[in-house]
């Protein structure tokens, strides 16, 4: 990762530090539920995102190229997408309780990317291929989609937990700190309305790239492509079930979780384990 | 006669049994008369959604009184006595007084610090007084309870994190819907509880308010008493249509059959496309079929569920409750002292009357024998002598008894006096002498400290 070479101190120490501080502050905010810790948490995560963007951007890395040539860059960009999507939704809903999970998740992704980056040398022979604009769009759109889906999964999980607490009239920490069920439902929905078009763009641009620039066969039957298409169908179902079936609340949340499970499958299992078209090696 | 309390509350008894022993107003009136037939003296019936309690004076021993009270309650509601014995709690004398004062102070409530119960205690006493079921003892007892309840509210912070069942309901709804400003509230039943809930909902800015009631007039009255919101009044036969629009529903009718059946709610849910529906059932017996809670996106809470909602402010209220307990102890002692003092005056009067009777008889006997030999002045002197000896003799006991009464332990002396001089017990028996100590195992005399303080 070129960026790490140009700004090694920022990339390897400052950004993880700021992200981790943000994660801790969101945890503190969840427990204490006060304005100060909430603002500090948002500020910290926002600052981390700015630094991260500066490091990843063409200007920061000093070269016009997509930063994603191996797993480390991929994870780093994903972390940024998670943070940015989260911050946008946080502002929109004025709701910080999701940060307790999203911020540590982003910090974790980033730290892993730094560790992987230092373990592996940057750049492979395939890097040439990756300079294509279609590929850039494919990667960015997919990562934004995954970040949005991650957010929707967290809010869906929170919804299910809160729903259980509500059904049993249990008034513990979940009841006092989670946003209300309606807000969680709308947040899940909103996140998926961001993720779904992004995934659509990701799938289409990926196909176009494979057909035009890469000129490789087998992309259509690649397990990752298939899993992503399946996820796309599930999320399409999620969006349609609302007006058609009146699904709201728990049923919607379960669908969102199922969709994210497929997303995880595309990432965690299919990517590294199976050698297919999407393998970095 | 002794003061007995027999009751069932939200802690001792599940709602399924509680709703069987609840008294509505008509049942209270019938039960009051039936109690007299069963042998009870003064009596008050306190029946709320969380408790059914009978305070009554029963003749005989503690166990006989308990038996009589249990037999009455079981027969009146047609339930098994063994079941009743399993769930009901029983208190006599000071124990019963303490319980009533704790109830009136909301320390025994599902939500400590709620204010509803004080009104309910006052109304229960009012009903009994108007029906002529109470005498000086019960009137004083309930006046003390109400006064204590007021003191606890004003002198402690127990009512400051105000949490009534109605408020708890609104808190739950808030967690489901967030803001209420696009929501429609449906209040079924136009009682006082319905009004309280409606007020909270309007404070929460619901956009529409529908009141459904069997009697349209009451519903219109309720709606008129509340800040105006678009909506209106409907009859109980229009509930299904109302449920399609409403998001927040509260029911608190006195109906004995469910007002909202599962099939009705299921149809309404289909028509409202499964948008979440929040129902709070404050009524006992239930207004909503429990099966409704199985329906998708339907959140049904019964009054028993609501206690959970207020855990938040509970720690503080519990701390205040400790202060309140001390205050209540003092009031129980003051009442016990009043009972004893009250017993002292008739006891002294009877004793004196007896003394003067004896003196008079003896003087008359002497005068009959010596009458002719004595001048009218001497006769006067002898009459005076008799009275003087009795007065002198009884002076010290009278002073001592009054002192003992002021110190709150005249009960023993009065009993001894009545026994030693074979004075009659008086019409109210134990109610007029000394409160029976609490029958509960390990119960302490609540007034010991107070007495010690006064004596020292």
């Amino acid at each position: 990762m070129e960026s790490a070479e140009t700004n090694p101190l920022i990339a390897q120490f400052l950004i993880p530090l700021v992200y981790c501080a943000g994660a801790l502050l969101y945890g503190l905010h969840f427990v204490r539920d006060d304005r100060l810790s909430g603002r500090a948490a948002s500020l910290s995560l926002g600052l981390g995102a700015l630094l991260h963007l500066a490091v990843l951007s063409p200007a920061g890395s000093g070269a016009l190229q997509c930063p994603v040539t191996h797993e480390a860059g991929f994870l780093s960009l994903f972390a940024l997408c998670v943070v940015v999507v989260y911050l946008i939704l946080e502002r929109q809903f004025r709701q910080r309780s999701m940060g307790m999970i999203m911020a540590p998740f982003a910090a974790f992704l980033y730290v892993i990317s730094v560790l992987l980056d230092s373990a592996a040398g940057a750049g492979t022979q395939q890097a040439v291929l990756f300079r294509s604009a279609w590929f850039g769009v494919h990667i960015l759109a997919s990562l934004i989609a995954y970040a949005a889906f991650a957010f929707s999964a967290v809010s869906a999980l929170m919804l299910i937990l809160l729903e259980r607490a509500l059904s049993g009239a249990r008034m513990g920490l979940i009841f006092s700190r989670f946003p209300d069920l309606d807000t969680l439902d709308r947040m899940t929905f909103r996140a998926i309305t961001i993720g779904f078009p992004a995934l659509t763009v990701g799938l289409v641009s990926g196909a176009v790239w494979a057909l035009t620039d890469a000129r490789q066969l087998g992309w259509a039957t690649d397990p990752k492509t298939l899993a992503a298409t399946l996820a796309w169908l599930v999320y399409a179902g999620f969006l349609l079930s609302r007006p058609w079936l009146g699904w709201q609340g728990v049923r919607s949340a379960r669908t969102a979780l199922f969709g994210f499970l497929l997303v995880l499958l595309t990432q965690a299992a299919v990517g590294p384990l199976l050698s297919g078209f999407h393998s970095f090696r | 006669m002794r003061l007995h309390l027999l009751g069932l509350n939200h802690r001792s008894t599940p709602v399924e049994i509680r709703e069987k022993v609840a008294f509505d107003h008509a049942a209270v009136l019938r039960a009051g008369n039936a109690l007299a037939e069963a042998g009870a003296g003064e009596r008050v019936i306190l029946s709320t959604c969380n408790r059914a309690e009978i305070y009554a004076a029963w003749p005989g021993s503690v166990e006989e009184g308990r038996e009589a009270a249990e037999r009455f309650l079981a027969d009146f509601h047609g339930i098994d006595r063994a079941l009743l014995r399993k769930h009901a709690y029983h208190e006599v004398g000071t124990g019963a007084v303490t319980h009533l004062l704790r109830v009136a102070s909301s320390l025994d409530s599902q939500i400590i610090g709620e204010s509803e119960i004080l009104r309910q205690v006052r109304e229960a006493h009012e009903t009994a007084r108007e029906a002529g079921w109470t005498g000086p003892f019960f009137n004083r007892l309930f006046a003390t309870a109400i006064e204590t309840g007021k003191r606890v509210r004003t002198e402690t912070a127990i009512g400051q994190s105000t949490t009534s069942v109605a408020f708890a309901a609104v808190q739950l709804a808030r967690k489901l819907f967030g803001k209420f400003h696009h929501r429609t509230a449906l209040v079924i039943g136009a009682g006082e509880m319905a009004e309280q809930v409606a007020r909270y909902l309007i404070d929460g800015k619901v956009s529409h308010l529908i009141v459904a009631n069997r009697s349209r007039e009451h519903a219109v009255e309720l709606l008129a008493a509340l800040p105006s919101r678009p909506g209106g009044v409907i009859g109980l036969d229009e509930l299904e249509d109302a449920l399609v629009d409403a998001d927040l529903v509260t029911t608190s009718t006195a109906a004995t059959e469910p007002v909202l059946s599962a099939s009705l709610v299921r149809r309404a849910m289909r028509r409202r496309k499964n948008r979440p529906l929040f129902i709070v059932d404050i009524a006992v017996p239930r207004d909503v079929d429990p099966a409704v809670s199985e329906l998708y996106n339907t959140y049904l809470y019964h009054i028993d569920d609501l206690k959970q909602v207020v855990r938040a402010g509970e720690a503080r209220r519990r701390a205040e409750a400790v202060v309140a307990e001390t205050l209540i102890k003092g009031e129980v002692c003051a009442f016990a002292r009043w009972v004893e003092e009250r017993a002292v005056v008739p006891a002294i009067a009877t004793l004196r009357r007896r003394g003067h009777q004896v003196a008079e008889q003896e003087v008359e006997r002497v005068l009959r024998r010596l009458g002719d030999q004595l001048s009218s002045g001497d006769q006067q002197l002898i009459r005076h002598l008799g009275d003087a000896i009795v007065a002198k003799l009884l002076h010290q006991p009278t002073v001592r008894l009054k002192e003992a009464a002021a110190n709150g332990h005249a009960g023993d002396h009065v009993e001894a006096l009545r026994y030693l001089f074979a004075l009659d017990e008086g019409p109210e028996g134990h109610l007029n002498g000394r409160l029976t100590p609490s029958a509960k195992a390990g119960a302490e005399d609540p007034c010991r400290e107070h007495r010690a303080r006064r004596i020292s």
Side-chain angles (χ1 to χ4, degrees), chain A residues 148-195:
Chain A
F149 292 147
F151 186 97
S152 76
V154 172
S155 61
L157 191 67
M158 284 171 82
L159 188 147
I160 288 169
L161 290 175
L162 179 64
E163 204 271 342
R164 277 197 189 166
L166 265 176
S167 297
R170 283 187 299 274
M171 320 289 300
L173 201 62
I174 286 180
F175 187 90
S176 60
R177 293 290 188 273
F178 279 21
D180 58 87
L181 211 67
D182 184 59
T183 301
L184 284 170
D185 193 54
R186 284 185 297 120
M187 283 172 110
T188 310
F189 187 76
R190 185 84 192 85
I192 289 175
T193 58
I194 293 174

Side-chain angles (χ1 to χ4, degrees), chain B residues 35-288:
Chain B
L35 271 168
E37 282 165 27
E42 293 185 49
R43 58 216 177 264
V44 169
I45 295 163
L46 174 64
S47 180
T48 73
C49 34
N50 278 329
R51 67 186 67 246
E53 295 180 341
I54 297 176
Y55 295 86
W58 292 97
S61 70
V62 171
E63 202 39 48
E64 281 164 0
R66 177 179 190 164
E67 290 270 324
E70 282 179 352
R71 199 177 317 121
F72 167 79
L73 192 58
D75 291 351
F76 190 83
H77 289 295
I79 54 169
D80 185 29
R81 271 191 69 189
L83 186 74
L84 188 67
R85 201 151 228 196
K86 192 176 146 210
H87 292 290
Y89 43 88
H90 169 255
E91 278 288 358
V92 282
T94 49
V97 174
T98 309
H99 183 87
L100 176 62
L101 266 53
R102 291 187 78 249
V103 166
S105 308
S106 86
L107 295 189
D108 197 51
S109 293
Q110 208 163 40
I111 296 159
I112 292 174
E114 56 113 352
S115 57
E116 191 85 337
I117 187 66
L118 189 57
R119 189 183 57 76
Q120 289 162 332
V121 169
R122 186 184 288 128
E123 280 177 6
H125 175 232
E126 238 6 69
T127 305
R129 206 174 50 86
E130 279 165 20
W133 304 338
T134 61
F137 183 93
F138 265 49
N139 288 340
R140 174 80 179 211
L141 172 64
F142 277 81
T144 304
I146 291 158
E147 200 47 47
T148 307
K150 280 192 206 154
R151 274 191 68 195
V152 165
R153 287 201 76 71
T154 51
E155 293 176 28
T156 74
I158 206 161
Q160 277 175 12
S161 47
T162 308
T163 20
S164 61
V165 165
F167 183 57
V170 174
Q171 274 188 306
L172 268 173
R174 249 192 209 302
K175 210 67 215 181
L176 186 60
F177 292 126
K179 293 193 177 115
F180 290 164
H181 57 263
H182 295 309
R183 307 285 175 187
T184 297
L186 168 62
V187 176
I188 304 174
E192 208 147 327
M193 187 62 98
E195 180 174 339
Q196 217 185 36
V197 177
R199 275 190 192 286
Y200 275 116
L201 293 176
I202 290 173
D203 283 349
K205 310 249 185 311
V206 290
S207 61
H208 290 71
L209 181 67
I210 306 169
V211 177
N213 199 38
R214 193 159 308 237
S215 143
R216 269 175 186 266
E217 289 143 47
H218 285 149
V220 171
E221 269 171 38
L222 170 62
L223 208 60
L226 295 168
S228 93
R229 283 280 182 285
V233 168
I234 59 166
L236 290 186
D237 49 334
E238 297 162 84
L239 281 178
E240 191 184 318
D241 292 334
L243 278 181
V244 177
D245 299 321
D247 305 295
L248 300 122
V249 181
T250 63
T251 67
S252 57
T253 76
T256 43
E257 291 296 309
V259 176
L260 295 180
S261 68
S263 60
L264 187 146
V265 178
R266 189 180 297 118
R267 286 196 301 274
M269 281 306 283
R270 211 172 293 143
R271 284 173 60 192
R272 56 185 281 126
K273 292 199 167 159
N274 285 330
R275 277 180 296 118
L277 180 64
F278 176 85
I279 307 174
V280 171
D281 186 353
I282 304 175
V284 172
R286 293 167 204 247
D287 274 347
V288 185

Side-chain angles (χ1 to χ4, degrees), chain B residues 428-440:
Chain B
E428 287 170 275
H430 275 75
L431 289 187
N432 216 352
R434 187 185 192 193
L435 286 173
T436 316
S438 171
K440 232 188 238 166

